[in-house]
């Protein structure tokens, strides 16, 4: 262990170890989950585009949300619902940390008429939390 510590200390400023240390720590996972849960709910109500959160989600999640948004838009069109922007309010946020660099969160988002739960898996990647899986109940 002491030898490994010495190797890390001996790393020069251009080394990979020094570059990893220069990556800022990710934002609070609770705040990231809260914001992302609200964004997902906004996407499904038609108030936000999926591309607006592309940097915080993986390609698989992007495709999944694109499909869900298309189905929701079609449903709104068939029901001839009002195009007024839905009022959304974030309720409880529960975060579980099964291992370092991984968080699983559930965010309850309330509208005037109902509540939805947004479940997500967040992984720390390059100094930020990214959603690798998202489900809306």
């Amino acid at each position: 262990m002491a030898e490994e510590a010495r190797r890390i200390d001996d790393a020069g400023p251009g080394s990979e170890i020094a570059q990893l240390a220069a990556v800022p720590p990710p934002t609070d996972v609770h705040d990231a989950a809260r914001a992302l849960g609200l964004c997902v709910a906004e996407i499904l109500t038609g108030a936000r585009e999926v591309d607006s959160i592309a940097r915080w989600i993986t390609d698989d999640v992007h495709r999944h949300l694109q499909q869900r948004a298309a189905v929701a838009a079609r449903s709104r069109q068939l029901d001839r619902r009002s195009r007024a922007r839905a009022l959304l309010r974030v309720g409880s946020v529960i975060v579980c940390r099964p291992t370092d660099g991984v968080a699983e969160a559930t965010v309850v988002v309330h509208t005037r008429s109902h509540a939805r739960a947004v479940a997500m898996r967040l992984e720390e990647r390059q100094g930020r939390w990214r959603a690798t899986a998202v489900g809306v109940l």
Side-chain angles (χ1 to χ4, degrees), residues 3-126:
E3 184 177 321
E4 185 177 335
R6 236 180 284 123
R7 281 187 286 151
I8 291 172
D9 290 340
D10 292 340
S15 72
E16 183 179 335
I17 294 171
Q19 289 173 359
L20 289 176
V23 174
T27 59
D28 180 41
V29 68
H30 186 274
D31 293 340
R34 178 185 173 87
L36 196 55
L38 180 60
C39 288
V40 168
E42 288 175 346
I43 288 167
L44 296 181
T45 61
R48 178 183 290 270
E49 293 293 323
V50 179
D51 291 340
S52 68
I53 63 168
R55 68 185 293 187
W56 293 287
I57 58 177
T58 61
D59 291 340
D60 289 341
V61 172
H62 190 278
R63 279 189 294 277
H64 173 73
L65 288 176
Q66 285 280 69
Q67 291 171 345
R68 289 286 306 258
V71 168
R74 182 73 176 142
S75 176
R76 282 191 305 275
Q77 185 181 30
L78 291 175
D79 288 347
R80 300 181 196 272
R81 290 187 210 158
S82 168
R83 297 221 188 269
R85 187 173 178 166
L87 294 175
L88 300 173
R89 181 178 51 84
V90 176
S92 62
V93 178
I94 300 171
V95 177
C96 175
R97 300 286 302 268
T99 185
D100 287 339
V102 175
E104 294 173 347
T106 304
V107 180
V108 178
V109 181
H110 299 272
T111 65
R112 289 181 182 160
S113 61
H114 62 279
R116 289 190 144 174
V118 180
M120 65 188 82
R121 180 179 176 95
L122 301 165
E123 295 180 8
E124 183 183 341
R125 294 186 180 176
Q126 298 176 341

